[in-house]
Amino acid sequence: MNSKITIAGVEFKNPVMTASGTFGSGREYGEYMDLNQLGAVVVKGVAITPWKGNPAPRIAETYGGMLNSVGLQNPGVEAFIENDIPFLRQYDTKIIVNIAGRTIEEYCQVAERLGEVDVDLLELNISCPNVKEGGVAFGTDPFMVEKVTKEVKKYSKQPLIVKLSPNVTDITEMARAAESGGADGLSLINTLLGMAIDIYRRKPVLAMKVGGFSGPAIKPVALRMVYQVNKAVNLPIIGMGGIMTGEDAIEFIMAGATGVAVGTAHFNNPRASLEVVEGIQKYMDTYGVKDLAEIRGII
Ligand code: SIN
């Protein structure tokens, strides 16, 4: 049984990726797992200059998940290129770089710079709910989704995956806008906007008051959105949102995902993505699935 997949002409040894922001650039996880086993490492959002992120506290545990308000802290594209790409290139896995910006120009600058280096795909982050400019401010307006996608496409040498926000009334509208802008694929979902209150301090738990909610509690929402988007557009989808096991990943594939990304599960179990790879293989072996295309989008 072989679990190879292809997205925008790039072949992955299996569909399992790390969701941006939950895996750094893989360094911290190297001692727990063999990064060669992953289909791809999707790195934390990278901007044209270093960003220091939001004030703490910026994470909180909730029932079945967590909230984060990191604010896209990152070292900037030059430090990323110098330190992280040589580290990741030691491994036989694809590299997907999540790109962030405050303006369309900044996104374009990052894409242009990354066009000069050895990475496999770009993931356009227009869905981070924790920044005032860029992020979800672009990702909730179909006009802007199309415009940013179209502009960044002009500068990106690698295929461009657009990461969608669930914080909209109709995600298929955003998916269609990204497709019209020339996206080569979609990833969904980013986090749902949420909140937690410390009743003893009578204050929100997060310094920014609200943050992005992720983890197994959001899986049914994510699955429903992948299903709807798959019916609405003709683009490969990387599905994510609460994937903890191989069975969860198979659900996303049946809903229409080509790739699957594991995120919050890493904070509970650093080997989670590897276990998802093994779980998918076990399902395929047990049920005689020779190629994931046989079950993709069958719902
Ligand atoms: C963050 O850094 O605040 C989260 C990133 C994201 O939601 O895209």
Side-chain angles (χ1 to χ4, degrees):
M1 314 284 159
N2 124 48
S3 60
K4 275 189 194 153
I5 57 150
T6 303
I7 294 178
V10 178
E11 190 174 278
F12 298 75
K13 65 175 69 166
N14 66 57
V16 182
M17 312 178 183
T18 60
S20 173
T22 65
F23 205 72
S25 57
R27 230 177 268 273
E28 309 92 280
Y29 288 85
E31 64 183 279
Y32 299 105
M33 60 186 287
D34 176 10
L35 300 182
N36 293 301
Q37 305 298 316
L38 293 172
V41 172
V42 185
V43 303
K44 173 81 184 154
V46 177
I48 192 70
T49 53
W51 290 9
K52 64 183 173 50
N54 289 335
R58 51 192 196 177
I59 56 166
E61 199 166 341
T62 62
Y63 294 123
M66 64 179 282
L67 294 166
N68 92 80
S69 175
V70 174
L72 288 170
Q73 179 183 338
N74 77 92
V77 72
E78 292 307 328
F80 168 75
I81 291 171
E82 192 179 323
N83 301 319
D84 293 330
I85 296 181
F87 168 78
L88 284 169
R89 269 297 169 233
Q90 299 174 89
Y91 298 95
D92 177 22
T93 186
K94 300 295 181 205
I95 305 173
I96 304 183
V97 186
N98 182 283
I99 64 174
R102 295 191 179 94
T103 60
I104 296 182
E105 290 68 33
E106 287 187 5
Y107 282 105
C108 293
Q109 286 167 345
V110 185
E112 188 172 31
R113 181 69 183 97
L114 289 168
E116 297 161 17
V117 300
D118 183 18
V119 299
D120 299 290
L121 293 98
L122 305 183
E123 180 178 64
L124 180 65
N125 187 343
I126 48 169
S127 46
C128 174
N130 304 322
V131 287
K132 288 199 183 74
E133 298 153 301
V136 81
F138 287 154
T140 49
D141 173 352
F143 174 79
M144 288 307 294
V145 171
E146 182 173 344
K147 188 172 159 120
V148 186
T149 307
K150 200 176 266 172
E151 288 304 312
V152 176
K153 265 300 278 181
K154 290 183 192 159
Y155 292 87
S156 56
K157 293 221 170 56
Q158 296 89 350
L160 186 67
I161 306 296
V162 177
K163 186 164 185 179
L164 299 180
S165 170
N167 299 303
V168 292
T169 310
D170 180 2
I171 197 165
T172 64
E173 208 186 335
M174 307 303 151
R176 284 194 199 95
E179 187 175 45
S180 305
D184 299 294
L186 301 173
S187 56
L188 61 140
I189 60 173
N190 205 320
T191 53
L192 286 152
L193 202 55
M195 186 179 194
I197 293 174
D198 180 339
I199 58 169
Y200 304 104
R201 290 169 56 243
R202 302 187 180 198
K203 286 185 169 164
V205 175
L206 298 174
M208 297 300 286
K209 301 191 176 81
V210 296
F213 180 37
S214 62
I218 73 164
K219 196 189 90 183
V221 177
L223 201 55
R224 183 264 294 177
M225 289 188 168
V226 167
Y227 169 77
Q228 290 177 322
V229 167
N230 184 52
K231 299 275 182 242
V233 296
N234 194 18
L235 290 175
I237 295 170
I238 302 170
M240 74 197 81
I243 295 178
M244 304 293 282
T245 65
E247 286 97 334
D248 291 338
I250 296 289
E251 282 190 71
F252 276 83
I253 293 166
M254 288 187 173
T258 299
V260 287
V262 178
T264 304
H266 289 122
F267 301 123
N268 187 45
N269 169 12
R271 297 184 78 260
S273 40
L274 202 51
E275 290 176 14
V276 171
V277 174
E278 291 159 2
I280 291 173
Q281 198 59 56
K282 188 166 168 219
Y283 179 90
M284 293 178 78
D285 293 343
T286 307
Y287 295 99
V289 178
K290 289 198 179 57
D291 191 305
L292 289 172
E294 290 169 32
I295 56 168
R296 182 175 309 127
I298 58 168
I299 304 301

